[in-house]
Amino acid sequence: MSENIYEVIIVGAGPAGLTAAIYTTRRALKTLVISKDLGGQAALTNNIENYPGFNKVTGQDLMQKFYEQATLTGAEFDFTEVESLEKEGDLFILKTAKNQSFQSKAVILAFGLTPRNLNVPGEKEFGGKGVAYCATCDGPLYKGKTVAVIGGGNSALDAAEFLSKIASKVYLLNRKDIFRGEEILLQKVKDSANVELIYNAETKEVVGDIKVNKLVYTQANTDKEIAVEGIFVEIGHLAKTGWVANLVELNERKEIKISVDCVTRTPGLFAAGDITDISYKQAVISAGEGSKAALQAYKFLQGSENIVLPDWSPKK
Ligand code: NDP
């Protein structure tokens, strides 16, 4: 097989992509993983306490273990972004940001989700100058400072708990009056003496000079402000699937529709993990989905005829 031709190419190296690589290589399929980072969103999580087999592990350590396991059985890795995917005859052609072209007989899309922006004045301007999207990565820059975390899900709670150990004061702004995240995480945040929870707070503006120095929010129709040096935006994620839209079906959230076996509407093209229309976005689920996609790709490459495509026509 020529150097740039693979049996399987996996796009994404989070829990789904790395697990898929462990499974395809264990079936002796020549596998390349192309990803812009290692570990995806899971690697940005400070503490994972709900991945079976680990009482407590950092996302980075867990993903490093997945990666080592995938390389042990021979998965190859290229850390770059895939810019296009086309199918010509029986082969997929993938072009990357490094101007490389790769071909494969099967592709597994596992490229996860992208952090959502607030879209308020000042957010873009102060990106990297006080506005951050990853507490694990940027948190240490705010030692002894006052910061705000925005969001009401597990990401925001995880970030607030992590930052409470670094920053002198953490404001946690939730636009609702209840949190969506797990009760156990919420309790930890409530137990942190330097975290102040602000409910029903809609972020209005990020203000600063060279760097962020203020956050303006609206509460009960009144504008309020807090002095902060860092703002961590933890408000969920978006599916950036436009570049594969001609090969797959998308739902209203632009997630890739899959069958129970991770099949998409294009033969040989599979998808797994957070980028798909599965209900729960959890590392352990993504890992399971990645293994399913890999086994289904193996079946496809064996020439199995019994891959049944679901009927995705609109419901009447
Ligand atoms: P979620 O979608 O769960 O939550 C997003 C939060 O951001 C909601 O509170 C939402 O508010 C709020 N939000 C959305 N848009 C805005 C906005 N413009 N302004 C202010 N607030 C906004 O995303 P998460 O990233 O928290 O979690 C994603 C998945 O990852 C979840 O399944 C979660 O369980 C998982 N995860 C697990 C972790 C763990 O187990 N340790 C850690 C981190 C994530 P509203 O409710 O009003 O829409």
Side-chain angles (χ1 to χ4, degrees):
M1 201 173 277
S2 121
E3 209 185 300
N4 280 0
I5 302 185
Y6 290 81
E7 280 165 306
V8 184
I9 292 181
I10 298 164
V11 185
L18 292 170
T19 306
I22 293 168
Y23 273 74
T24 55
T25 48
R26 290 180 64 81
R27 298 265 160 162
L29 298 175
K30 184 171 154 66
T31 301
L32 173 68
V33 182
I34 309 177
S35 182
K36 62 178 171 21
D37 56 27
L38 178 64
Q41 295 297 312
L44 306 183
T45 303
N46 168 46
N47 267 331
I48 298 183
E49 295 179 356
N50 55 9
Y51 198 91
F54 295 84
N55 290 340
K56 189 170 185 163
V57 62
T58 69
Q60 231 162 18
D61 284 352
L62 185 63
M63 289 302 99
Q64 186 63 30
K65 284 186 197 302
F66 276 44
Y67 172 64
E68 283 163 14
Q69 202 170 348
T71 51
L72 268 181
T73 35
E76 295 174 40
F77 284 81
D78 201 319
F79 290 101
T80 180
E81 202 154 354
V82 178
E83 290 192 329
S84 68
L85 172 68
E86 281 166 29
K87 193 167 188 198
E88 280 182 18
D90 284 341
L91 279 182
F92 290 96
I93 299 162
L94 295 93
K95 297 210 166 107
T96 75
K98 290 200 281 192
N99 264 332
Q100 305 145 294
S101 177
F102 296 101
Q103 295 181 10
S104 67
K105 296 176 191 166
V107 168
I108 298 173
L109 301 172
F111 53 89
L113 299 168
T114 307
R116 181 186 278 132
N117 294 327
L118 281 165
N119 293 322
V120 298
E123 181 187 21
K124 233 187 210 160
E125 188 187 343
F126 292 105
K129 296 175 193 157
V131 175
Y133 299 84
C134 171
T136 318
C137 328
D138 297 342
L141 303 173
Y142 296 88
K143 197 169 186 310
K145 297 183 174 170
T146 298
V147 299
V149 175
I150 298 163
N154 274 341
S155 298
L157 292 170
D158 183 69
E161 202 253 337
F162 175 67
L163 289 165
S164 72
K165 294 180 189 126
I166 300 170
S168 58
K169 166 98 187 174
V170 180
Y171 293 102
L172 175 55
L173 282 83
N174 181 357
R175 68 177 176 183
K176 287 219 174 94
D177 59 1
I178 56 160
F179 280 87
R180 274 198 208 199
E182 287 174 9
E183 196 52 42
I184 202 162
L185 266 176
L186 178 58
Q187 199 50 53
K188 274 190 187 172
V189 169
K190 284 182 173 168
D191 290 344
S192 309
N194 61 344
V195 181
E196 184 175 332
L197 276 58
I198 306 179
Y199 291 93
N200 301 311
E202 195 81 47
T203 305
K204 190 174 178 191
E205 190 179 354
V206 174
V207 183
D209 38 50
I210 304 166
K211 285 181 173 179
V212 166
N213 56 32
K214 208 178 347 180
L215 176 73
V216 183
Y217 65 94
T218 310
Q219 196 179 41
N221 295 322
T222 310
D223 284 356
K224 299 185 176 176
E225 54 183 59
I226 41 178
V228 292
E229 289 177 78
I231 297 171
F232 289 82
V233 182
E234 301 282 354
I235 59 169
H237 301 86
L238 295 172
K240 300 230 164 137
T241 44
W243 64 284
V244 291
N246 58 334
L247 294 170
V248 298
E249 297 289 324
L250 300 176
N251 69 7
E252 65 291 350
R253 289 192 300 277
K254 307 264 187 287
E255 296 162 337
I256 300 170
K257 286 190 183 185
I258 53 166
S259 75
V260 73
D261 290 323
C262 301
V263 171
T264 73
R265 78 162 154 79
T266 300
L269 184 59
F270 307 88
D274 285 2
I275 196 60
T276 69
D277 62 344
I278 55 168
S279 308
Y280 301 108
K281 314 292 185 187
Q282 296 290 315
V284 66
I285 293 175
S286 291
E289 292 288 309
S291 73
K292 272 203 280 181
L295 294 171
Q296 199 62 33
Y298 175 73
K299 201 168 175 183
F300 170 79
L301 293 168
Q302 294 290 97
S304 179
E305 295 300 321
N306 59 355
I307 292 182
V308 181
L309 277 171
D311 175 11
W312 281 313
S313 52
K315 301 237 165 20
K316 293 185 183 96

